[in-house]
């Protein structure tokens, strides 16, 4: 809280009221607006919660990364059709329901049928379900 007050009391032409920091140039301010820290503080502000400092945000990110590593959940789902990896089941489900994924699956099926009609055997389009990822190795997913 003191850092925030100190930052706001410093004579800067450009400021971020949400995070309580000042900037010497408009470019620095615009760059700040694109950071995860600023976006996190915006969400907290909407929820009626106080902003966190840059150090507090960094500590939270490191703690979350450590927890994910500890649980071994750095990757919970893989879509081999689109060659994408997802860190949450929700993100994976959103992808599977997306127009882009459905178009990719349709295209892969058409390509598969073309190769079969030419006498070639085509690899099947596979979407690895979140529960299957734990048993699959990255090398096996890449080979599929």
């Amino acid at each position: 809280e003191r850092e925030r007050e100190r930052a706001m009391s410093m004579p800067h032409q450009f400021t971020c009221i949400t995070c309580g920091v000042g900037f010497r140039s408009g470019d620095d301010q615009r760059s700040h607006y694109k950071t995860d820290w600023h976006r996190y503080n915006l969400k907290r502000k909407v929820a009626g919660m106080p902003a966190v400092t840059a150090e507090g945000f960094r500590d939270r990110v490191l703690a979350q990364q450590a927890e994910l590593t500890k649980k071994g959940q750095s990757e919970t789902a893989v879509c081999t059709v689109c060659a994408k990896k997802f860190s949450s089941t929700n993100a994976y489900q959103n992808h599977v329901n997306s127009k882009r994924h459905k178009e990719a699956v349709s295209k892969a099926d058409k390509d598969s049928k073309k190769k079969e009609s030419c006498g070639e055997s085509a690899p099947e389009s596979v979407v690895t379900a979140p529960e299957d990822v734990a048993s699959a190795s990255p090398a096996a997913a890449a080979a599929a």
Side-chain angles (χ1 to χ4, degrees):
E1 186 63 33
R2 287 183 191 169
E3 283 182 32
R4 184 178 176 149
E5 290 173 12
R6 191 178 85 230
M8 293 307 292
S9 67
M10 293 175 64
H12 289 99
Q13 186 175 357
F14 302 94
T15 60
C16 173
I17 302 299
T18 302
C19 299
V21 293
F23 307 96
R24 297 187 193 279
S25 73
D27 289 338
D28 290 342
Q29 182 188 37
R30 283 187 291 281
S31 294
H32 165 75
Y33 287 151
K34 295 177 184 176
T35 64
D36 290 335
W37 172 43
H38 176 75
R39 291 182 178 143
Y40 180 75
N41 276 334
L42 282 175
K43 291 176 184 176
R44 289 179 61 86
K45 184 177 182 179
V46 168
M49 301 168 70
V52 297
T53 63
E55 289 130 9
F57 177 71
R58 187 173 41 248
D59 292 343
R60 289 171 190 231
V61 169
L62 291 174
Q64 184 180 23
Q65 288 174 345
E67 185 178 322
L68 288 174
T69 302
K70 181 179 163 186
K71 290 182 179 179
Q73 293 180 346
S74 60
E75 182 182 301
T76 60
V78 177
C79 173
T80 56
V81 175
C82 301
K84 290 189 173 199
K85 299 175 184 177
F86 302 93
S87 59
S88 73
T89 304
N90 190 33
Y92 170 77
Q93 289 302 324
N94 287 339
H95 169 72
V96 169
N97 294 326
S98 72
K99 181 179 176 182
R100 182 173 283 175
H101 171 76
K102 290 176 182 176
E103 289 172 352
V105 169
S106 176
K107 183 177 186 282
D109 288 343
K110 286 178 185 176
D111 290 347
S112 172
K113 288 178 184 175
K114 282 182 184 178
K115 288 185 179 183
E116 287 174 7
S117 67
C118 295
E120 297 179 28
S121 63
E124 291 193 26
S125 302
V126 177
V127 177
T128 305
E131 56 274 359
D132 294 341
V133 173
S135 61
S137 69

PDB file of all heavy atoms in Angstrom, residues 72-87:
ATOM      1  N   GLY A  72       1.796 -32.050 -11.369  1.00  0.00           N
ATOM      2  CA  GLY A  72       2.042 -32.665 -12.676  1.00  0.00           C
ATOM      3  C   GLY A  72       0.954 -32.332 -13.675  1.00  0.00           C
ATOM      4  O   GLY A  72       0.693 -33.097 -14.588  1.00  0.00           O
ATOM      5  N   GLN A  73       0.334 -31.175 -13.506  1.00  0.00           N
ATOM      6  CA  GLN A  73      -0.756 -30.796 -14.391  1.00  0.00           C
ATOM      7  C   GLN A  73      -0.346 -29.701 -15.362  1.00  0.00           C
ATOM      8  O   GLN A  73      -1.163 -28.881 -15.749  1.00  0.00           O
ATOM      9  CB  GLN A  73      -1.949 -30.308 -13.581  1.00  0.00           C
ATOM     10  CG  GLN A  73      -2.592 -31.365 -12.751  1.00  0.00           C
ATOM     11  CD  GLN A  73      -3.774 -30.800 -11.979  1.00  0.00           C
ATOM     12  OE1 GLN A  73      -3.946 -29.600 -11.873  1.00  0.00           O
ATOM     13  NE2 GLN A  73      -4.585 -31.675 -11.447  1.00  0.00           N
ATOM     14  N   SER A  74       0.884 -29.698 -15.790  1.00  0.00           N
ATOM     15  CA  SER A  74       1.301 -28.663 -16.713  1.00  0.00           C
ATOM     16  C   SER A  74       0.608 -28.841 -18.063  1.00  0.00           C
ATOM     17  O   SER A  74       0.512 -27.913 -18.837  1.00  0.00           O
ATOM     18  CB  SER A  74       2.818 -28.677 -16.886  1.00  0.00           C
ATOM     19  OG  SER A  74       3.217 -29.933 -17.387  1.00  0.00           O
ATOM     20  N   GLU A  75       0.122 -30.045 -18.325  1.00  0.00           N
ATOM     21  CA  GLU A  75      -0.609 -30.301 -19.570  1.00  0.00           C
ATOM     22  C   GLU A  75      -1.704 -31.307 -19.274  1.00  0.00           C
ATOM     23  O   GLU A  75      -1.452 -32.417 -18.853  1.00  0.00           O
ATOM     24  CB  GLU A  75       0.359 -30.856 -20.612  1.00  0.00           C
ATOM     25  CG  GLU A  75      -0.263 -31.121 -21.943  1.00  0.00           C
ATOM     26  CD  GLU A  75       0.749 -31.718 -22.882  1.00  0.00           C
ATOM     27  OE1 GLU A  75       1.773 -31.089 -23.132  1.00  0.00           O
ATOM     28  OE2 GLU A  75       0.485 -32.834 -23.348  1.00  0.00           O
ATOM     29  N   THR A  76      -2.942 -30.912 -19.451  1.00  0.00           N
ATOM     30  CA  THR A  76      -4.029 -31.831 -19.154  1.00  0.00           C
ATOM     31  C   THR A  76      -4.732 -32.340 -20.392  1.00  0.00           C
ATOM     32  O   THR A  76      -5.465 -33.304 -20.320  1.00  0.00           O
ATOM     33  CB  THR A  76      -5.078 -31.173 -18.231  1.00  0.00           C
ATOM     34  OG1 THR A  76      -5.608 -30.029 -18.892  1.00  0.00           O
ATOM     35  CG2 THR A  76      -4.492 -30.803 -16.899  1.00  0.00           C
ATOM     36  N   ALA A  77      -4.537 -31.691 -21.533  1.00  0.00           N
ATOM     37  CA  ALA A  77      -5.209 -32.147 -22.744  1.00  0.00           C
ATOM     38  C   ALA A  77      -4.412 -31.749 -23.972  1.00  0.00           C
ATOM     39  O   ALA A  77      -3.734 -30.732 -23.979  1.00  0.00           O
ATOM     40  CB  ALA A  77      -6.609 -31.562 -22.815  1.00  0.00           C
ATOM     41  N   VAL A  78      -4.530 -32.579 -25.019  1.00  0.00           N
ATOM     42  CA  VAL A  78      -3.839 -32.329 -26.278  1.00  0.00           C
ATOM     43  C   VAL A  78      -4.798 -32.579 -27.422  1.00  0.00           C
ATOM     44  O   VAL A  78      -5.506 -33.583 -27.438  1.00  0.00           O
ATOM     45  CB  VAL A  78      -2.615 -33.265 -26.435  1.00  0.00           C
ATOM     46  CG1 VAL A  78      -1.946 -33.066 -27.779  1.00  0.00           C
ATOM     47  CG2 VAL A  78      -1.630 -33.060 -25.312  1.00  0.00           C
ATOM     48  N   CYS A  79      -4.839 -31.668 -28.381  1.00  0.00           N
ATOM     49  CA  CYS A  79      -5.591 -31.876 -29.611  1.00  0.00           C
ATOM     50  C   CYS A  79      -4.557 -32.099 -30.704  1.00  0.00           C
ATOM     51  O   CYS A  79      -3.871 -31.170 -31.124  1.00  0.00           O
ATOM     52  CB  CYS A  79      -6.467 -30.670 -29.942  1.00  0.00           C
ATOM     53  SG  CYS A  79      -7.262 -30.798 -31.548  1.00  0.00           S
ATOM     54  N   THR A  80      -4.437 -33.344 -31.156  1.00  0.00           N
ATOM     55  CA  THR A  80      -3.430 -33.650 -32.170  1.00  0.00           C
ATOM     56  C   THR A  80      -3.851 -33.179 -33.553  1.00  0.00           C
ATOM     57  O   THR A  80      -3.011 -32.980 -34.415  1.00  0.00           O
ATOM     58  CB  THR A  80      -3.116 -35.157 -32.197  1.00  0.00           C
ATOM     59  OG1 THR A  80      -4.341 -35.863 -32.407  1.00  0.00           O
ATOM     60  CG2 THR A  80      -2.473 -35.595 -30.903  1.00  0.00           C
ATOM     61  N   VAL A  81      -5.149 -32.987 -33.762  1.00  0.00           N
ATOM     62  CA  VAL A  81      -5.629 -32.487 -35.047  1.00  0.00           C
ATOM     63  C   VAL A  81      -5.112 -31.070 -35.267  1.00  0.00           C
ATOM     64  O   VAL A  81      -4.631 -30.733 -36.343  1.00  0.00           O
ATOM     65  CB  VAL A  81      -7.180 -32.506 -35.109  1.00  0.00           C
ATOM     66  CG1 VAL A  81      -7.680 -31.865 -36.386  1.00  0.00           C
ATOM     67  CG2 VAL A  81      -7.691 -33.928 -34.995  1.00  0.00           C
ATOM     68  N   CYS A  82      -5.221 -30.240 -34.240  1.00  0.00           N
ATOM     69  CA  CYS A  82      -4.807 -28.840 -34.342  1.00  0.00           C
ATOM     70  C   CYS A  82      -3.394 -28.607 -33.796  1.00  0.00           C
ATOM     71  O   CYS A  82      -2.888 -27.479 -33.850  1.00  0.00           O
ATOM     72  CB  CYS A  82      -5.791 -27.951 -33.584  1.00  0.00           C
ATOM     73  SG  CYS A  82      -7.480 -28.070 -34.194  1.00  0.00           S
ATOM     74  N   ALA A  83      -2.773 -29.652 -33.250  1.00  0.00           N
ATOM     75  CA  ALA A  83      -1.436 -29.567 -32.658  1.00  0.00           C
ATOM     76  C   ALA A  83      -1.387 -28.515 -31.552  1.00  0.00           C
ATOM     77  O   ALA A  83      -0.519 -27.651 -31.517  1.00  0.00           O
ATOM     78  CB  ALA A  83      -0.385 -29.289 -33.724  1.00  0.00           C
ATOM     79  N   LYS A  84      -2.358 -28.591 -30.626  1.00  0.00           N
ATOM     80  CA  LYS A  84      -2.422 -27.641 -29.512  1.00  0.00           C
ATOM     81  C   LYS A  84      -2.438 -28.391 -28.193  1.00  0.00           C
ATOM     82  O   LYS A  84      -2.988 -29.479 -28.098  1.00  0.00           O
ATOM     83  CB  LYS A  84      -3.673 -26.777 -29.611  1.00  0.00           C
ATOM     84  CG  LYS A  84      -3.638 -25.794 -30.753  1.00  0.00           C
ATOM     85  CD  LYS A  84      -4.786 -24.833 -30.649  1.00  0.00           C
ATOM     86  CE  LYS A  84      -4.642 -23.762 -31.705  1.00  0.00           C
ATOM     87  NZ  LYS A  84      -5.436 -22.598 -31.384  1.00  0.00           N
ATOM     88  N   LYS A  85      -1.845 -27.757 -27.176  1.00  0.00           N
ATOM     89  CA  LYS A  85      -1.825 -28.303 -25.821  1.00  0.00           C
ATOM     90  C   LYS A  85      -2.609 -27.354 -24.923  1.00  0.00           C
ATOM     91  O   LYS A  85      -2.550 -26.144 -25.101  1.00  0.00           O
ATOM     92  CB  LYS A  85      -0.388 -28.420 -25.318  1.00  0.00           C
ATOM     93  CG  LYS A  85       0.463 -29.344 -26.149  1.00  0.00           C
ATOM     94  CD  LYS A  85       1.893 -29.338 -25.681  1.00  0.00           C
ATOM     95  CE  LYS A  85       2.744 -30.206 -26.600  1.00  0.00           C
ATOM     96  NZ  LYS A  85       4.152 -30.173 -26.218  1.00  0.00           N
ATOM     97  N   PHE A  86      -3.308 -27.913 -23.952  1.00  0.00           N
ATOM     98  CA  PHE A  86      -4.137 -27.115 -23.062  1.00  0.00           C
ATOM     99  C   PHE A  86      -3.803 -27.431 -21.613  1.00  0.00           C
ATOM    100  O   PHE A  86      -3.611 -28.584 -21.257  1.00  0.00           O
ATOM    101  CB  PHE A  86      -5.621 -27.378 -23.333  1.00  0.00           C
ATOM    102  CG  PHE A  86      -5.996 -27.068 -24.756  1.00  0.00           C
ATOM    103  CD1 PHE A  86      -5.972 -28.063 -25.718  1.00  0.00           C
ATOM    104  CD2 PHE A  86      -6.323 -25.785 -25.129  1.00  0.00           C
ATOM    105  CE1 PHE A  86      -6.273 -27.770 -27.036  1.00  0.00           C
ATOM    106  CE2 PHE A  86      -6.635 -25.486 -26.443  1.00  0.00           C
ATOM    107  CZ  PHE A  86      -6.610 -26.489 -27.396  1.00  0.00           C
ATOM    108  N   SER A  87      -3.764 -26.390 -20.789  1.00  0.00           N
ATOM    109  CA  SER A  87      -3.413 -26.579 -19.383  1.00  0.00           C
ATOM    110  C   SER A  87      -4.629 -26.750 -18.493  1.00  0.00           C
ATOM    111  O   SER A  87      -4.486 -26.983 -17.310  1.00  0.00           O
ATOM    112  CB  SER A  87      -2.576 -25.402 -18.893  1.00  0.00           C
ATOM    113  OG  SER A  87      -3.310 -24.209 -19.043  1.00  0.00           O
TER     114      SER A  87
END
